[in-house]
Amino acid sequence: MTTKRMAFWAAIVLGAGLGLAGPASATEYVYRDLMANTLPAPGCAAEAEAIAHANKPFNLNKYSKKFCQSQGYGWHVEAVKDNGKAVCQDCGGVNAGKKQCHLEDVVVTCKRIKPGSVGMLPGKS
């Protein structure tokens, strides 16, 4: 058999196989809403500055990612539903009059792929 003939038949078999495969199913997800608090910054600052630091998008993204990852393998952030409210505590000693702030009641929606919705399972077609 010549190379051209083999390529022709391979193309026909491949095309028929792709035609019979059917539509691909969409990935299914499991969702979970979490409410948690962030940690305060290590240093003390004026109240306005401490609140601004607590509300930084970087901190919110970092902690929301940690909240979802604490649920186990495969959990990811879908959305931050509520940024929560800033709560401050006074620093004592040398830093009297300064504050440490963190966010309370941050609500995050986490998702992961539903088990069995993707890939091949033994005994199922």
Side-chain angles (χ1 to χ4, degrees), residues 2 51 77 98-99:
T2 65
I51 290 173
V77 177
K98 293 185 178 181
K99 307 240 180 207

Side-chain angles (χ1 to χ4, degrees), residues 22 24 35 45 54 58 80 85 87 89 94 99-100 109 112-114 121:
M35 182 183 289
F58 173 80
V80 178
K85 62 181 188 289
V87 176
Q89 295 136 356
V94 179
K99 307 240 180 207
Q100 278 186 320
T109 300
R112 75 177 177 123
I113 295 176
K114 182 177 179 183
L121 297 175

Side-chain angles (χ1 to χ4, degrees), residues 16-27:
L18 291 175
L20 298 175
S25 61
T27 304

Side-chain angles (χ1 to χ4, degrees), residues 14-103:
L14 181 63
L18 291 175
L20 298 175
S25 61
T27 304
E28 296 178 44
Y29 291 96
V30 177
Y31 295 91
R32 183 179 291 172
D33 285 347
L34 301 175
M35 182 183 289
N37 301 333
T38 64
L39 296 175
C44 296
E47 185 172 3
E49 187 180 330
I51 290 173
H53 182 72
N55 283 319
K56 281 186 176 180
F58 173 80
N59 287 333
L60 193 59
N61 290 336
K62 179 177 81 170
Y63 282 106
S64 60
K65 184 176 177 181
K66 283 184 180 186
F67 299 156
C68 289
Q69 288 176 345
S70 71
Q71 297 302 298
Y73 180 76
W75 286 95
H76 303 283
V77 177
E78 171 70 14
V80 178
K81 285 187 172 181
D82 186 9
N83 292 351
K85 62 181 188 289
V87 176
C88 299
Q89 295 136 356
D90 290 325
C91 295
V94 179
N95 294 317
K98 293 185 178 181
K99 307 240 180 207
Q100 278 186 320
C101 297
H102 67 279
L103 297 176

